[in-house]
Amino acid sequence: MDIPILIQTFIAVFVLADAVGNIPIVLVLTKGMMPDQRNKVIDKAIVIAIVVLLLFAFAGQIILNYLEISIGSLRVAGGLLLLLIALQMLRGELDQPIIEEGRDVAITPLALPLLAGPGTLTTVMLLMSKSQSPHIAVVVGILGAMFVTWLILRLANLIDQWIGAEGGVIVTQLLGFLLAALAVEIGSTGIRELFLS
């Protein structure tokens, strides 16, 4: 197993899922639910997010080949996309999801796009193509990150009371900073592939 790829996948997916930053959204979306109901919604959202991430990780390369898009171009585009998301996190400009009656909040917006958004999908596909045999490492990284995310969301009520509103802002800022650094790294790798290889 490729341990560096596993670690990179875990960090990237966990940071992009932003479990702590999404706790207030989870609490709003599940307001009025009993703890068991809230847990079922979180369980469903995590399962859907994992399935989508795995499907995109394995089928992404086929899509690239069909559209004749190089990995270097995808890295640059993915880096820019992640940087935009990171800037939104740092500025506190992430849009709050609109709640509609009758919508299954586990599917949207919890699973898509909060837990498995475009940035996360791009990242897992890039990591899948990073070495010769990263499949197991990427899958384990995704499962590990989603498991920790699941644990954090399951403890949403306790964590919300413990860190408070200001703590949530601080954590989101820190995660945004790390995501920005990751975005620059991915983008710069793509630029080197396109122009220096």
Side-chain angles (χ1 to χ4, degrees):
M1 185 183 298
D2 193 334
I3 300 300
I5 294 291
L6 189 157
I7 294 172
Q8 287 180 30
T9 303
F10 178 88
I11 292 173
V13 173
F14 179 71
V15 168
L16 286 165
D18 190 17
V20 176
N22 284 328
I23 285 175
I25 298 174
V26 170
L27 292 175
V28 169
L29 291 173
T30 59
K31 186 176 181 181
M33 289 184 181
M34 298 297 290
D36 289 345
Q37 290 176 305
R38 177 181 286 117
N39 288 339
K40 286 180 181 178
V41 168
I42 292 170
D43 294 349
K44 185 175 181 180
I46 290 291
V47 169
I48 293 170
I50 289 172
V51 170
V52 170
L53 286 171
L54 291 177
L55 283 174
F56 206 83
F58 284 98
Q61 190 60 52
I62 298 172
I63 297 170
L64 283 184
N65 292 338
Y66 179 76
L67 297 175
E68 298 181 356
I69 299 173
S70 69
I71 294 297
S73 297
L74 189 69
R75 287 187 197 280
V76 174
L80 289 173
L81 178 61
L82 294 180
L83 187 58
L84 289 175
I85 295 172
L87 291 175
Q88 287 182 316
M89 291 172 70
L90 291 169
R91 293 178 181 174
E93 296 175 353
L94 289 179
D95 296 329
Q96 296 293 322
I98 298 172
I99 304 170
E100 297 175 0
E101 288 188 17
R103 173 191 289 184
D104 187 347
V105 295
I107 298 172
T108 178
L110 286 185
L112 302 165
L114 291 179
L115 297 177
T120 317
L121 298 175
T122 303
T123 301
V124 296
M125 190 172 67
L126 289 171
L127 288 167
M128 187 66 86
S129 65
K130 197 164 185 177
S131 66
Q132 295 300 320
S133 57
H135 302 84
I136 296 175
V138 171
V139 170
V140 173
I142 290 171
L143 294 176
M146 285 289 109
F147 177 71
V148 175
T149 298
W150 174 76
L151 287 177
I152 292 172
L153 293 180
R154 274 293 198 109
L155 299 171
N157 285 323
L158 294 175
I159 292 174
D160 188 48
Q161 294 173 0
W162 182 63
I163 65 174
E166 292 182 1
V169 171
I170 292 170
V171 170
T172 300
Q173 296 287 312
L174 290 174
L175 293 176
F177 179 74
L178 290 174
L179 183 59
L182 180 63
V184 172
E185 180 64 28
I186 291 174
S188 62
T189 300
I191 290 172
R192 286 196 297 272
E193 288 181 7
L194 287 175
F195 298 107
L196 300 179
S197 61

